[in-house]
Amino acid sequence: MKVIVVGAGVVGTMHAWHAVERGHEVVHIEREAEARGASLRNFGQIWVSGRAGGEELDTALRARELWEGIGARVPGLGFRAIGSLTPVRNDLERAVAEAAAARPDAAARGYELLTADEARAVNPALRGEFEAALRCERDAAVEPRTAQLALREALLATGRYTFLPDREVRDVVGEHAVRDDRGETHSGDAVVLCTGAWLSGLVREVAGEIPVRRVRLQMMQTDPLGEPLTTSVADADSFRYYPAYASGALDALNAGQAQDPTAAAHRMQLLMVQRLDGGLTIGDTHEYEHPFAFDTLEDPYEHLTRVVESFLGRPLPRIRRRWAGVYAQCVDTTRVVHRQKVRDGVWLVTGPGGRGMTCSPAVAETTANELGW
């Protein structure tokens, strides 16, 4: 079988990976020299902790298993089974963490409520003030800026994979074929369009208006911290954002503890992970209304800096870079991904939202299973 994959972000690359793993030939087409979208502009977190119970959690856990297996074969992914800590500062926040740790699926996530001293034993860099921390043992991390490159190198080594950059697919030609902006037609037994946040042009032409929206976020990265940050770190605002934390305790938190005005205005949470070079990737914000701003704002960065420094008990290293990114998210956020047959032999897979890096191996595996690869 020959599979044409359009889009070289993590979702597209994982579709290529599963096709090659099953013995098929893959032609992988990317409109830029390298993917430059949300697949690179994220935390690189394999984030199991906040996922909704049921399909979303099952997908994340399966993806976590796949990431670990692929990481063992492709060291360039930088896979680390580091887990995460969410420090809490008061009784309202602690109650949400306790409710999460009491979930029926808490063991599957690796949830454990730690005292402050126990949390510092797990992550000694957390020298600031907090009362306790929710640990999620199943969370992990990879290097988002290099993961696709490492996967592609492994794919090329199989001899069954061809990468065609700098080609924008303009048309779906009949069944099982696409035409690029160089006038070349690429035919196969199946075509998978993994176009990320590119929802206009070809996508609108072949799929119409789909129930997927674009979301913009701001993030930053520091110089090396100078010491290990042994886990990912979140703050209690993540309780307000992720469905796993829904509970009466969360309702009480929302009613009794107003979110910081800057965090509320920009729909913020703290997520933080250390890169292999020692720097910290820190975010994020959420902007849903179009048209998106074209600039980045300082208030969110200042808020994140204050929160991080309060947990670390020390000043942040110099900020090395700041950026904005845009990802595609299903309007119905209970859906893991939008998967649609748009022509015979042609499928569109998009809209994983902030789950893209976490869930992409399992999303692609499901596509491969459903298409009978």
Side-chain angles (χ1 to χ4, degrees), residues 52 163 177 193 218 290 330 356 372:
F163 181 59
L193 307 174
Q218 289 186 200
H290 291 198
C330 290

Side-chain angles (χ1 to χ4, degrees), residues 63 76 84 87 178 182 186 188 204 211 231 256 270 284 322 345 359:
S84 70
V178 295
R182 302 181 186 217
H186 309 276
R204 183 175 293 133
T231 69
L270 167 69
D284 62 351
R322 308 171 193 265
C359 293

Side-chain angles (χ1 to χ4, degrees), residues 17 24 46 61 74 123 129 136 170 177 193 195 213 250 280 288 311 329 354:
W17 178 272
H24 307 312
I46 315 307
L61 288 170
V74 186
N123 192 337
E129 293 300 319
C136 181
R170 294 287 182 83
L193 307 174
T195 55
R213 64 180 176 179
L250 179 61
L280 304 176
Y288 301 103
F311 286 151
Q329 178 188 59

Side-chain angles (χ1 to χ4, degrees), residues 75-346:
L77 287 180
F79 177 86
R80 290 101 72 196
I82 56 177
S84 70
L85 289 173
T86 303
V88 296
R89 303 181 191 273
N90 56 50
D91 289 345
L92 286 172
E93 294 178 359
R94 178 196 283 269
V96 182
E98 289 173 342
R103 289 179 58 101
D105 55 17
R109 301 169 189 268
Y111 275 163
E112 182 183 10
L113 187 61
L114 305 180
T115 67
D117 286 343
E118 289 170 337
R120 292 188 185 101
V122 172
N123 192 337
L126 298 178
R127 301 187 185 92
E129 293 300 319
F130 55 93
E131 292 187 0
L134 181 65
R135 184 182 189 183
C136 181
E137 181 270 338
R138 298 303 293 160
D139 289 336
V142 294
E143 291 300 288
R145 290 174 179 260
T146 58
Q148 278 72 251
L149 300 178
L151 288 167
R152 187 182 312 144
E153 184 178 350
L155 287 166
L156 287 167
T158 68
R160 298 193 302 278
Y161 173 85
T162 301
F163 181 59
L164 300 177
D166 291 318
R167 295 169 183 255
E168 183 171 318
V169 170
R170 294 287 182 83
D171 193 17
V172 174
V173 185
E175 299 178 6
H176 312 143
V178 295
R179 182 182 296 118
D180 65 29
D181 57 0
R182 302 181 186 217
E184 296 184 21
T185 298
H186 309 276
S187 301
D189 299 286
V191 175
V192 185
L193 307 174
C194 302
T195 55
W198 176 36
L199 303 176
S200 58
L202 174 70
V203 173
R204 183 175 293 133
E205 182 177 332
V206 300
E209 296 295 334
I210 60 176
V212 175
R213 64 180 176 179
R214 300 170 77 237
V215 182
R216 182 180 185 267
L217 72 163
Q218 289 186 200
M219 296 174 60
M220 62 182 178
Q221 187 171 334
T222 73
D223 280 343
L225 181 63
E227 62 179 320
L229 186 77
T230 56
T231 69
S232 298
V233 176
D235 73 348
D237 279 339
S238 67
F239 294 156
R240 308 175 194 263
Y241 184 75
Y242 285 105
Y245 305 118
S247 64
L250 179 61
D251 295 340
L253 173 67
N254 287 329
Q257 179 174 305
Q259 194 174 15
D260 177 275
T262 298
H266 297 282
R267 300 175 176 91
M268 296 182 67
Q269 60 179 338
L270 167 69
L271 296 177
M272 175 170 62
V273 63
Q274 189 170 45
R275 303 270 63 90
L276 289 177
D277 70 358
L280 304 176
T281 300
I282 301 169
D284 62 351
T285 64
H286 299 89
E287 183 179 355
Y288 301 103
E289 292 78 25
H290 291 198
F292 292 144
F294 59 83
D295 45 10
T296 57
L297 302 176
E298 281 302 301
D299 286 354
Y301 292 122
E302 292 172 359
H303 168 78
L304 290 168
T305 297
R306 289 193 298 270
V307 174
V308 172
E309 290 182 345
S310 72
F311 286 151
L312 296 179
R314 54 166 284 186
L316 266 184
R318 182 182 70 96
I319 304 302
R320 179 188 300 176
R321 55 174 69 100
R322 308 171 193 265
W323 67 92
V326 177
Y327 60 76
Q329 178 188 59
C330 290
V331 174
D332 177 359
T333 56
T334 65
R335 296 183 59 190
V336 175
V337 72
H338 179 76
R339 187 181 288 106
Q340 178 181 348
K341 183 179 180 180
V342 296
R343 300 275 178 85
D344 286 343
V346 183

